[in-house]
Amino acid sequence: MTLKQTLIAATLFVTCVTAVQADCLTDAQAAELLAHYVARTPAPNPVNLSDADGACTRGKFNQLLAQRMGKVVGYKAGLTNPAVQKRFNTDKPVWGKLYEGMVLPNGASVEAAFGARALYEADMLVRVKSAAINHARTPEEVLDAIDQVIPFIELPDLMVQAPPQLNGAGVTAINVGARLGVAGAPLPVPAYRGERYALLKALADMNVSLTDGTGARLGGGKGSDILEHPLNAVTWLAAALQKEGITLQPGDLVSLGSFSALLPPRAGLSVTASYDGLPGAAPVRVTFK
Protein backbone atom coordinates (compact mmCIF):
# COMPACT_ATOMS: atom_id res chain seq x y z
CA MET A 1 0.00 0.00 0.00
CA THR A 2 1.37 3.40 -0.94
CA LEU A 3 1.67 6.25 1.55
CA LYS A 4 -1.23 8.00 -0.17
CA GLN A 5 -3.40 4.87 0.09
CA THR A 6 -2.44 4.48 3.76
CA LEU A 7 -3.46 8.08 4.51
CA ILE A 8 -6.77 7.64 2.70
CA ALA A 9 -7.48 4.42 4.59
CA ALA A 10 -6.64 6.09 7.90
CA THR A 11 -8.92 9.01 7.09
CA LEU A 12 -11.78 6.68 6.21
CA PHE A 13 -11.25 4.75 9.44
CA VAL A 14 -11.37 7.93 11.55
CA THR A 15 -14.46 9.07 9.66
CA CYS A 16 -16.22 5.78 10.27
CA VAL A 17 -15.33 5.78 13.97
CA THR A 18 -16.48 9.37 14.33
CA ALA A 19 -19.75 8.57 12.57
CA VAL A 20 -20.77 6.06 15.23
CA GLN A 21 -20.13 8.55 18.01
CA ALA A 22 -23.08 10.62 19.17
CA ASP A 23 -22.94 14.39 18.88
CA CYS A 24 -24.82 17.17 20.60
CA LEU A 25 -28.52 16.41 20.26
CA THR A 26 -30.14 18.10 17.30
CA ASP A 27 -32.75 20.83 17.82
CA ALA A 28 -35.45 18.29 17.01
CA GLN A 29 -34.05 15.80 19.54
CA ALA A 30 -33.84 18.54 22.19
CA ALA A 31 -37.48 19.40 21.49
CA GLU A 32 -38.36 15.72 21.89
CA LEU A 33 -36.51 15.70 25.22
CA LEU A 34 -38.58 18.67 26.38
CA ALA A 35 -41.81 17.00 25.24
CA HIS A 36 -40.98 13.96 27.39
CA TYR A 37 -40.05 16.25 30.30
CA VAL A 38 -43.41 18.01 30.11
CA ALA A 39 -45.36 14.76 29.69
CA ARG A 40 -43.33 13.05 32.45
CA THR A 41 -42.65 10.11 30.16
CA PRO A 42 -39.23 8.43 29.74
CA ALA A 43 -37.12 9.92 26.95
CA PRO A 44 -34.63 7.97 24.83
CA ASN A 45 -31.20 7.83 26.47
CA PRO A 46 -28.62 10.18 24.99
CA VAL A 47 -25.73 7.82 24.19
CA ASN A 48 -21.99 8.07 23.64
CA LEU A 49 -21.89 11.76 24.48
CA SER A 50 -18.59 13.49 25.13
CA ASP A 51 -18.50 16.09 27.89
CA ALA A 52 -18.75 18.78 25.20
CA ASP A 53 -21.76 17.02 23.64
CA GLY A 54 -23.44 16.85 27.04
CA ALA A 55 -22.85 20.56 27.67
CA CYS A 56 -24.12 21.45 24.20
CA THR A 57 -27.27 19.37 24.71
CA ARG A 58 -27.85 20.91 28.14
CA GLY A 59 -27.66 24.35 26.52
CA LYS A 60 -30.31 23.48 23.93
CA PHE A 61 -32.52 21.82 26.54
CA ASN A 62 -32.20 24.80 28.88
CA GLN A 63 -33.17 27.23 26.13
CA LEU A 64 -36.39 25.29 25.70
CA LEU A 65 -36.96 24.98 29.46
CA ALA A 66 -36.51 28.75 29.87
CA GLN A 67 -39.20 29.41 27.26
CA ARG A 68 -41.59 27.31 29.30
CA MET A 69 -40.49 27.91 32.88
CA GLY A 70 -39.07 31.42 32.82
CA LYS A 71 -36.57 32.78 35.31
CA VAL A 72 -33.46 30.95 36.45
CA VAL A 73 -33.39 31.06 40.27
CA GLY A 74 -30.15 29.19 40.76
CA TYR A 75 -27.98 26.24 39.85
CA LYS A 76 -27.40 22.71 41.03
CA ALA A 77 -24.08 20.97 41.41
CA GLY A 78 -24.63 17.29 40.77
CA LEU A 79 -22.51 14.17 41.21
CA THR A 80 -20.57 15.89 43.99
CA ASN A 81 -20.61 12.75 46.13
CA PRO A 82 -18.04 10.09 45.12
CA ALA A 83 -20.58 7.32 45.76
CA VAL A 84 -23.02 8.95 43.34
CA GLN A 85 -20.23 9.59 40.82
CA LYS A 86 -19.46 5.88 40.86
CA ARG A 87 -23.09 5.08 40.05
CA PHE A 88 -22.82 7.21 36.91
CA ASN A 89 -19.36 6.06 35.90
CA THR A 90 -17.66 9.42 36.26
CA ASP A 91 -15.12 11.08 38.52
CA LYS A 92 -16.24 14.71 38.40
CA PRO A 93 -19.29 16.84 39.19
CA VAL A 94 -21.77 18.27 36.69
CA TRP A 95 -24.18 21.20 36.81
CA GLY A 96 -27.66 22.26 35.78
CA LYS A 97 -30.05 25.20 36.13
CA LEU A 98 -32.89 25.66 38.61
CA TYR A 99 -36.00 27.47 37.41
CA GLU A 100 -38.78 29.42 39.06
CA GLY A 101 -41.32 27.10 40.63
CA MET A 102 -38.92 24.24 41.18
CA VAL A 103 -38.31 25.04 44.88
CA LEU A 104 -41.34 24.19 47.04
CA PRO A 105 -42.00 25.13 50.69
CA ASN A 106 -41.35 22.86 53.64
CA GLY A 107 -44.03 20.23 54.14
CA ALA A 108 -45.09 20.22 50.50
CA SER A 109 -47.18 17.34 49.20
CA VAL A 110 -45.94 16.09 45.84
CA GLU A 111 -47.16 13.40 43.47
CA ALA A 112 -45.01 10.29 43.77
CA ALA A 113 -44.88 10.26 39.96
CA PHE A 114 -43.71 13.88 39.74
CA GLY A 115 -41.38 12.88 36.93
CA ALA A 116 -40.71 10.06 34.50
CA ARG A 117 -37.96 8.64 36.73
CA ALA A 118 -38.72 10.33 40.04
CA LEU A 119 -36.25 10.16 42.94
CA TYR A 120 -35.51 11.95 46.21
CA GLU A 121 -32.31 12.71 48.09
CA ALA A 122 -31.00 14.64 51.08
CA ASP A 123 -29.44 17.87 49.83
CA MET A 124 -28.78 21.45 50.92
CA LEU A 125 -29.12 24.91 49.37
CA VAL A 126 -27.11 28.05 49.99
CA ARG A 127 -28.13 31.56 48.92
CA VAL A 128 -25.62 33.89 47.31
CA LYS A 129 -25.06 37.22 49.07
CA SER A 130 -22.23 38.68 47.02
CA ALA A 131 -20.77 38.33 43.54
CA ALA A 132 -17.46 37.73 45.35
CA ILE A 133 -18.57 34.11 45.43
CA ASN A 134 -17.38 33.80 41.83
CA HIS A 135 -13.80 34.15 43.07
CA ALA A 136 -14.15 31.92 46.13
CA ARG A 137 -11.58 29.14 46.32
CA THR A 138 -12.17 27.80 49.84
CA PRO A 139 -15.21 27.00 52.02
CA GLU A 140 -14.28 30.00 54.16
CA GLU A 141 -14.47 32.32 51.16
CA VAL A 142 -17.79 30.78 50.13
CA LEU A 143 -19.19 31.39 53.60
CA ASP A 144 -18.19 35.07 53.32
CA ALA A 145 -20.28 35.36 50.14
CA ILE A 146 -23.51 33.59 51.18
CA ASP A 147 -26.17 34.63 53.67
CA GLN A 148 -28.27 31.49 54.11
CA VAL A 149 -27.84 27.74 54.47
CA ILE A 150 -31.11 25.95 53.71
CA PRO A 151 -32.07 22.32 54.42
CA PHE A 152 -33.33 20.79 51.17
CA ILE A 153 -34.80 17.55 49.90
CA GLU A 154 -34.16 17.49 46.19
CA LEU A 155 -36.63 15.70 43.92
CA PRO A 156 -34.69 14.98 40.73
CA ASP A 157 -36.02 13.26 37.64
CA LEU A 158 -33.55 11.18 35.63
CA MET A 159 -36.24 11.18 32.91
CA VAL A 160 -34.73 8.63 30.49
CA GLN A 161 -35.71 5.09 29.57
CA ALA A 162 -32.62 3.50 31.15
CA PRO A 163 -31.17 5.68 33.96
CA PRO A 164 -28.46 3.09 34.87
CA GLN A 165 -26.93 3.67 31.43
CA LEU A 166 -26.44 7.40 32.01
CA ASN A 167 -22.87 8.62 32.43
CA GLY A 168 -21.71 12.07 33.54
CA ALA A 169 -22.23 13.63 30.10
CA GLY A 170 -25.70 12.09 29.88
CA VAL A 171 -26.63 13.51 33.28
CA THR A 172 -25.38 16.89 32.09
CA ALA A 173 -27.50 16.62 28.93
CA ILE A 174 -30.73 16.30 30.95
CA ASN A 175 -29.90 19.38 33.07
CA VAL A 176 -28.79 17.08 35.89
CA GLY A 177 -32.38 15.93 36.34
CA ALA A 178 -33.56 19.22 37.85
CA ARG A 179 -37.31 18.98 38.49
CA LEU A 180 -38.39 19.91 42.05
CA GLY A 181 -37.19 20.22 45.61
CA VAL A 182 -38.51 21.13 49.07
CA ALA A 183 -36.71 23.82 51.07
CA GLY A 184 -36.75 24.09 54.83
CA ALA A 185 -36.24 27.08 57.12
CA PRO A 186 -33.15 29.12 56.16
CA LEU A 187 -30.29 29.15 58.63
CA PRO A 188 -28.64 32.60 58.56
CA VAL A 189 -24.88 32.78 58.26
CA PRO A 190 -23.59 34.38 61.48
CA ALA A 191 -21.69 37.65 61.45
CA TYR A 192 -19.01 36.83 64.02
CA ARG A 193 -15.82 35.03 63.08
CA GLY A 194 -15.96 32.44 65.86
CA GLU A 195 -19.52 31.48 65.01
CA ARG A 196 -18.66 31.28 61.34
CA TYR A 197 -15.75 28.97 62.06
CA ALA A 198 -18.09 26.78 64.12
CA LEU A 199 -20.58 26.69 61.23
CA LEU A 200 -17.88 25.66 58.77
CA LYS A 201 -16.84 22.78 61.01
CA ALA A 202 -20.45 21.76 61.65
CA LEU A 203 -21.21 21.63 57.92
CA ALA A 204 -18.37 19.17 57.38
CA ASP A 205 -19.09 17.07 60.46
CA MET A 206 -22.92 16.99 60.43
CA ASN A 207 -24.80 13.74 59.99
CA VAL A 208 -27.60 14.08 57.46
CA SER A 209 -30.36 11.49 57.68
CA LEU A 210 -33.56 10.66 55.82
CA THR A 211 -36.35 9.04 57.82
CA ASP A 212 -39.91 7.98 57.03
CA GLY A 213 -43.07 8.81 58.95
CA THR A 214 -42.36 6.13 61.55
CA GLY A 215 -38.83 7.41 62.15
CA ALA A 216 -37.18 4.51 60.29
CA ARG A 217 -33.97 5.51 58.58
CA LEU A 218 -34.07 5.60 54.78
CA GLY A 219 -30.53 6.81 54.11
CA GLY A 220 -28.11 9.64 54.69
CA GLY A 221 -24.47 10.58 55.02
CA LYS A 222 -21.98 13.09 56.40
CA GLY A 223 -21.41 16.68 55.36
CA SER A 224 -17.91 15.81 54.20
CA ASP A 225 -19.31 13.25 51.74
CA ILE A 226 -19.70 16.17 49.33
CA LEU A 227 -16.20 16.99 48.05
CA GLU A 228 -14.76 16.77 51.60
CA HIS A 229 -16.73 19.90 52.56
CA PRO A 230 -20.19 20.76 51.16
CA LEU A 231 -19.18 24.33 50.37
CA ASN A 232 -16.49 22.99 48.01
CA ALA A 233 -19.43 22.26 45.69
CA VAL A 234 -19.90 26.02 45.38
CA THR A 235 -16.28 26.71 44.48
CA TRP A 236 -16.43 23.98 41.84
CA LEU A 237 -19.72 25.28 40.45
CA ALA A 238 -18.60 28.92 40.28
CA ALA A 239 -15.49 27.93 38.32
CA ALA A 240 -17.47 25.62 35.99
CA LEU A 241 -20.08 28.29 35.26
CA GLN A 242 -17.44 30.91 34.47
CA LYS A 243 -15.98 28.62 31.81
CA GLU A 244 -19.31 29.08 30.01
CA GLY A 245 -19.58 32.81 30.64
CA ILE A 246 -22.02 32.57 33.56
CA THR A 247 -21.53 34.18 36.97
CA LEU A 248 -23.44 33.61 40.17
CA GLN A 249 -25.49 36.61 41.27
CA PRO A 250 -26.81 37.78 44.67
CA GLY A 251 -30.04 35.93 45.43
CA ASP A 252 -29.13 32.84 43.40
CA LEU A 253 -29.70 29.50 45.08
CA VAL A 254 -27.11 26.74 44.80
CA SER A 255 -27.96 23.09 45.38
CA LEU A 256 -24.87 21.32 46.74
CA GLY A 257 -25.59 17.68 45.86
CA SER A 258 -26.45 14.38 47.50
CA PHE A 259 -25.75 13.46 51.10
CA SER A 260 -27.72 10.26 50.54
CA ALA A 261 -28.36 7.69 47.86
CA LEU A 262 -31.00 8.50 45.25
CA LEU A 263 -34.22 6.79 46.33
CA PRO A 264 -37.57 6.20 44.58
CA PRO A 265 -40.69 7.75 46.13
CA ARG A 266 -44.00 5.98 46.61
CA ALA A 267 -47.49 7.24 47.33
CA GLY A 268 -48.16 7.61 51.05
CA LEU A 269 -44.50 8.00 52.00
CA SER A 270 -43.47 10.94 54.18
CA VAL A 271 -39.75 11.78 54.17
CA THR A 272 -37.87 13.99 56.62
CA ALA A 273 -34.28 15.18 56.24
CA SER A 274 -32.47 16.06 59.48
CA TYR A 275 -29.07 17.68 59.91
CA ASP A 276 -27.71 16.42 63.22
CA GLY A 277 -24.76 18.44 64.44
CA LEU A 278 -25.74 21.59 62.54
CA PRO A 279 -27.05 23.93 65.27
CA GLY A 280 -30.26 25.72 64.37
CA ALA A 281 -31.04 23.59 61.32
CA ALA A 282 -34.68 22.47 61.45
CA PRO A 283 -35.75 19.31 59.61
CA VAL A 284 -37.34 19.56 56.17
CA ARG A 285 -40.20 17.30 55.11
CA VAL A 286 -42.00 16.17 51.95
CA THR A 287 -45.01 13.88 51.55
CA PHE A 288 -45.69 11.88 48.41
CA LYS A 289 -49.26 11.33 47.32
Side-chain angles (χ1 to χ4, degrees):
M1 183 180 288
T2 66
L3 177 59
K4 182 177 180 180
Q5 289 172 323
T6 301
L7 291 173
I8 291 172
T11 301
L12 288 173
F13 174 76
V14 172
T15 301
C16 290
V17 170
T18 303
V20 301
Q21 298 299 313
D23 294 316
C24 179
L25 266 61
T26 65
D27 292 348
Q29 288 171 320
E32 180 187 6
L33 193 61
L34 179 73
H36 282 286
Y37 181 90
V38 172
R40 294 185 286 183
T41 55
N45 278 59
V47 295
N48 297 326
L49 299 181
S50 68
D51 288 345
D53 294 334
C56 172
T57 299
R58 178 190 56 208
K60 290 185 176 185
F61 186 41
N62 274 324
Q63 280 188 325
L64 297 173
L65 281 173
Q67 292 170 16
R68 184 175 185 87
M69 304 187 70
K71 182 182 177 183
V72 173
V73 298
Y75 301 85
K76 62 171 293 187
L79 311 189
T80 52
N81 185 321
V84 180
Q85 288 177 2
K86 185 175 180 180
R87 172 175 173 176
F88 292 100
N89 195 30
T90 187
D91 60 358
K92 53 184 177 291
V94 294
W95 66 267
K97 292 183 177 181
L98 301 175
Y99 291 90
E100 202 166 24
M102 284 186 171
V103 180
L104 306 176
N106 196 4
S109 181
V110 178
E111 289 183 42
F114 61 80
R117 294 287 187 254
L119 297 163
Y120 66 89
E121 65 185 26
D123 197 333
M124 178 173 278
L125 298 172
V126 298
R127 190 176 73 173
V128 176
K129 176 181 72 175
S130 163
I133 201 164
N134 295 293
H135 308 293
R137 295 294 178 266
T138 65
E140 292 85 351
E141 291 174 348
V142 171
L143 199 64
D144 288 340
I146 62 175
D147 59 5
Q148 291 182 354
V149 172
I150 308 168
F152 188 54
I153 297 175
E154 198 197 349
L155 307 176
D157 176 11
L158 292 183
M159 72 176 283
V160 296
Q161 293 168 0
Q165 295 177 17
L166 285 171
N167 60 10
V171 174
T172 294
I174 61 170
N175 194 38
V176 197
R179 173 70 80 165
L180 293 170
V182 177
L187 184 65
V189 174
Y192 297 107
R193 183 179 297 274
E195 293 174 322
R196 293 161 79 87
Y197 176 80
L199 176 57
L200 277 173
K201 188 173 187 306
L203 284 168
D205 294 344
M206 66 183 176
N207 288 299
V208 183
S209 60
L210 290 172
T211 53
D212 67 13
T214 70
R217 183 178 170 86
L218 300 167
K222 288 198 64 172
S224 57
D225 288 342
I226 291 181
L227 301 178
E228 299 183 354
H229 193 290
L231 296 187
N232 281 329
V234 184
T235 64
W236 175 86
L237 177 66
L241 290 175
Q242 287 176 78
K243 290 177 182 176
E244 300 197 29
I246 302 171
T247 54
L248 292 167
Q249 301 296 323
D252 282 346
L253 298 173
V254 175
S255 167
L256 305 183
S258 308
F259 295 106
S260 68
L262 297 161
L263 300 169
R266 56 177 172 78
L269 176 66
S270 178
V271 177
T272 298
S274 303
Y275 300 76
D276 298 327
L278 183 61
V284 57
R285 180 175 294 104
V286 63
T287 299
F288 297 108
K289 57 186 179 180

